[in-house]
C-alpha cells in the first residue's frame, strides 16, 4: 500500500507532535510551511521534508492528501478553506475555529470540496476514552446521571507576555476555548448532546481581556447533568472527568494526556446480594463481596495513551483504508456550541439553549458577542 501524502502548515511547538506521529505512520511528509521561513526550514530539516513560505506555495508545489493546520487558532478557518479549495483534506488543531460563523464557513467549503475536515481532539482516541465511549453508548456502564468536568491548570502572569496572548483577537478566548476545550470535548463525546447551559466567567487575576476561570452547569438531552470548571489559576494542575451512572462511577484523572491507569470504574454493589448478606450497599461500595462484575475491567485491552500519535495513526489508517474517521469537523460542533454558550451565558447572565445558537444569535459571529470591552470587564469582575 502506498503512503498517505501529508503536509504541515505552521511549524511551531505542536507541529512536532504531528511530524513525529506521521513519521511513525505510513505517511510521507511532502512539505511544511510557515510564514517565518526559518521555522519551516528547521522542521523540514528535522523530518527530511521541503520548506515553503506559505500554504499557497505549498499547495502549488506539492500534492498532499492531508494537510495538518498547526497555526494559531485565528488563522485556522482561512487556511482550511484554502486547502479545501484545492481539493485536499485538512486536520485542524484545536480549537478548530474561533466561532460558529467560522465553523459554518469551513463546513460550507468542505461540502464543496473533494477533501474532508478532521479535528485534533486526541483524548477521544486513547484506549480509555474509546472504551468509555463505547461502554456508555451501549449501556454497559449504566445510564449517566451526574458528571463533573475539571480543567484546573496553571499559567503564570508571564505566560501572557507575548502581545497576542490574553486578547480576543490573538487567542480568541480564555481557558474555556484554549484549555478546557479538551475535557469539554471528551465530556460531550461521552455524554451526547447537551441542551441547556448556565455559566459564569470571571477574571480574578491574570492580565487578559477575557476570563481566567469559568464555571458552567449543564443539562444534557438525556437528562444527565454536569458541572464544568476551567481555570488557569490552579497550581496543582489536573484534568478530570467523573461520570456517575446507574451502574457505577467512571473517572479519569490526568493532566495533559491519560493512559489506562488513569481511569477507574467503581461499580455499584449488587444490591440483592448485599441484602442477603445484610450489608448496606450504599456504604460498602468497593467491597468485593457485593461487587459481582466489573464491566470496565472486563473491557481492558491494549493501553493506548491519549496523545497525538493515537489520533494521527488512526486517521492515516482510516484514510488509507477509505474508512470514515470519526473526529470530523461536524462532530466537534457541539463543543464549539458549548464554548459559545458559556461566554453568552456569562456575559448576558442568562441560560443558553443549544437550539438557539443559530446564525442570528448575537454570539454566533464572535465569542465576546461584540459586547463592548468595558462591559465585558465589568461582567467578568467579581469585585
Ligand atoms: N492538541 C493539543 O494538545 C495542543 C497543544 C498545544 C497547542 N495546540 C494548538 O496548536 C495550534 C498551534 O499552537 P502552537 O503552540 O504550536 O503555536 P506556535 O506559536 O508555537 O506555532 C504556530 C506557528 O504557526 C506559524 N504561523 C502563524 N500564522 C501562519 C500562517 N498564516 N501560515 C503559516 N504559518 C503560520 C507561526 O509562525 C508559528 O511558527 C493552536 O491552535 C493550539 O491551540 C494543541
Amino acid at each position: 500500500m502506498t503512503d498517505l501524502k501529508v503536509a504541515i502548515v505552521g511549524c511551531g511547538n505542536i507541529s512536532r507532535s504531528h511530524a513525529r506521529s506521521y513519521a511513525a505512520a505510513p505517511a510521507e511528509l511532502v512539505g511544511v510551511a510557515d510564514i517565518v521561513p526559518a521555522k519551516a526550514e528547521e522542521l523540514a530539516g528535522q523530518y527530511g521534508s521541503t520548506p515553503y513560505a506559505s500554504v499557497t506555495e505549498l499547495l502549488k508545489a506539492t500534492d498532499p492528501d492531508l494537510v495538518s493546520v498547526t497555526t494559531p487558532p485565528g488563522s485556522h478557518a482561512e487556511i482550511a478553506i484554502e486547502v479545501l479549495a484545492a481539493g485536499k483534506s485538512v486536520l485542524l488543531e484545536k480549537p478548530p475555529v474561533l466561532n460558529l460563523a467560522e465553523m459554518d464557513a469551513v463546513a460550507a467549503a468542505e461540502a464543496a470540496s473533494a477533501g474532508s475536515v478532521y479535528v485534533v481532539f486526541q483524548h477521544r482516541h486513547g484506549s480509555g476514552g474509546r472504551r468509555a465511549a463505547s461502554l456508555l453508548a451501549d449501556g454497559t456502564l449504566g445510564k449517566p446521571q451526574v458528571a463533573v468536568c475539571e480543567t484546573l491548570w496553571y499559567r503564570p502572569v508571564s505566560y501572557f507576555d507575548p502581545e497576542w496572548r490574553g486578547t480576543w483577537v490573538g487567542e480568541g478566548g480564555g481557558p474555556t476555548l484554549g484549555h478546557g476545550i479538551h475535557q469539554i470535548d471528551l465530556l460531550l463525546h461521552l455524554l451526547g448532546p447537551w441542551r441547556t447551559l448556565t455559566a459564569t466567567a470571571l477574571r480574578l487575576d491574570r492580565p487578559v481581556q477575557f476570563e481566567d476561570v469559568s464555571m458552567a452547569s449543564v443539562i444534557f438531552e438525556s437528562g444527565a447533568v454536569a458541572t464544568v470548571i476551567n481555570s488557569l489559576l490552579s497550581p496543582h494542575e489536573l484534568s478530570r472527568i467523573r461520570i456517575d451512572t446507574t451502574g457505577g462511577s467512571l473517572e479519569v484523572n490526568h493532566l495533559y494526556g491519560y493512559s489506562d491507569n488513569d481511569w477507574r470504574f467503581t461499580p455499584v454493589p449488587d444490591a440483592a446480594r448485599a441484602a442477603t448478606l445484610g450489608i448496606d450497599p450504599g456504604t460498602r461500595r468497593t467491597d468485593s463481596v457485593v461487587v459481582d462484575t466489573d464491566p470496565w475491567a472486563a473491557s481492558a485491552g491494549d493501553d493506548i495513551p491519549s496523545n497525538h500519535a493515537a489520533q494521527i495513526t488512526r486517521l492515516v489508517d482510516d484514510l488509507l483504508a477509505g474508512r470514515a474517521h470519526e473526529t470530523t469537523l461536524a462532530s466537534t460542533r457541539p463543543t464549539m456550541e458549548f464554548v459559545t454558550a458559556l461566554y453568552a451565558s456569562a456575559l448576558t447572565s442568562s441560560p443558553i439553549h443549544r437550539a438557539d445558537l443559530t446564525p442570528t444569535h448575537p454570539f454566533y459571529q464572535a465569542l465576546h458577542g461584540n459586547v463592548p470591552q468595558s462591559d465585558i470587564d465589568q461582567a467578568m469582575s467579581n469585585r
Side-chain angles (χ1 to χ4, degrees):
M1 197 191 289
T2 54
D3 287 354
L4 194 75
K5 285 183 279 169
V6 299
I8 297 175
V9 178
C11 302
N13 292 327
I14 214 64
S15 69
R16 266 66 192 168
S17 299
H18 288 243
R20 253 196 322 274
S21 303
Y22 287 133
E28 180 196 358
L29 187 59
V30 297
V32 303
D34 200 294
I35 48 174
V36 179
K39 293 199 152 201
E41 282 156 21
E42 192 188 338
L43 188 69
Q46 274 172 356
Y47 287 90
S49 191
T50 309
Y52 296 95
S54 68
V55 61
T56 309
E57 292 199 4
L58 181 141
L59 290 171
K60 244 189 246 158
T62 66
D63 187 26
D65 302 306
L66 175 71
V67 178
S68 277
V69 178
T70 54
T71 57
S75 53
H76 288 183
E78 190 183 337
I79 294 173
I81 288 169
E82 183 169 350
V83 174
L84 288 165
K88 314 298 180 195
S89 290
V90 184
L91 176 60
L92 277 180
E93 258 301 345
K94 55 60 53 179
V97 288
L98 292 187
N99 52 59
L100 292 174
E102 283 190 356
M103 180 159 261
D104 288 349
V106 176
E110 182 183 27
S113 170
S116 301
V117 183
Y118 309 100
V119 178
V120 177
F121 274 124
Q122 68 266 33
H123 302 315
R124 293 191 192 187
H125 291 274
S127 46
R130 298 189 71 82
R131 284 161 64 199
S134 147
L135 296 176
L136 286 168
D138 70 13
T140 303
L141 295 185
K143 183 175 156 47
Q145 291 176 317
V146 180
V148 177
C149 175
E150 298 171 334
T151 300
L152 300 174
W153 291 7
Y154 189 79
R155 296 293 179 272
V157 172
S158 59
Y159 174 80
F160 298 99
D161 284 350
E163 213 169 291
W164 59 277
R165 282 217 204 271
T167 65
W168 291 107
V169 170
E171 287 200 88
T176 313
L177 176 75
H179 306 82
I181 197 167
H182 278 298
Q183 310 314 309
I184 293 169
D185 180 77
L186 181 56
L187 181 79
L188 301 185
H189 183 58
L190 297 179
L191 291 190
W194 64 274
R195 191 174 63 212
T196 308
L197 176 159
T198 308
T200 306
L202 294 173
R203 181 189 317 138
L204 300 184
D205 190 77
R206 297 297 187 258
V208 293
Q209 290 183 337
F210 32 64
E211 84 287 6
D212 50 23
V213 60
S214 67
M215 297 166 290
S217 57
V218 196
I219 301 173
F220 286 80
E221 296 282 4
S222 67
V225 297
T227 63
V228 176
I229 184 161
N230 309 292
S231 159
L232 291 184
L233 305 175
S234 305
H236 175 200
E237 294 189 296
L238 68 82
S239 312
R240 187 167 84 106
I241 290 179
R242 170 182 169 137
I243 300 173
D244 297 328
T245 75
T246 51
S249 292
L250 178 68
E251 293 165 80
V252 58
N253 195 334
H254 67 118
L255 183 49
Y256 300 138
Y258 60 73
S259 62
D260 277 359
N261 283 340
D262 298 315
W263 290 81
R264 191 170 65 164
F265 184 67
T266 307
V268 294
D270 180 326
R273 180 108 184 268
T276 60
L277 293 171
I279 297 169
D280 177 355
T283 57
R284 300 289 297 269
R285 304 182 70 86
T286 57
D287 189 328
S288 60
V289 172
V290 290
V291 174
D292 279 337
T293 54
D294 181 346
W296 179 255
S299 73
D302 288 346
D303 183 358
I304 299 170
S306 67
N307 53 26
H308 278 75
Q311 179 168 1
I312 286 178
T313 305
R314 181 174 295 275
L315 174 61
V316 169
D317 286 350
D318 285 343
L319 295 185
L320 284 174
R323 273 192 308 263
H325 177 75
E326 63 199 42
T327 312
T328 58
L329 181 74
S331 79
T332 67
R333 199 174 203 284
T335 302
M336 279 307 293
E337 289 169 339
F338 183 105
V339 169
T340 303
L342 190 149
Y343 285 103
S345 177
L347 291 174
T348 62
S349 302
S350 54
I352 304 294
H353 306 286
R354 190 160 75 93
D356 292 341
L357 294 171
T358 62
T360 58
H361 192 279
F363 285 73
Y364 177 83
Q365 299 284 346
L367 292 183
H368 51 58
N370 293 311
V371 175
Q373 187 60 42
S374 55
D375 293 352
I376 294 174
D377 292 343
Q378 194 166 359
M380 290 194 177
S381 160
N382 69 340
R383 296 198 174 80

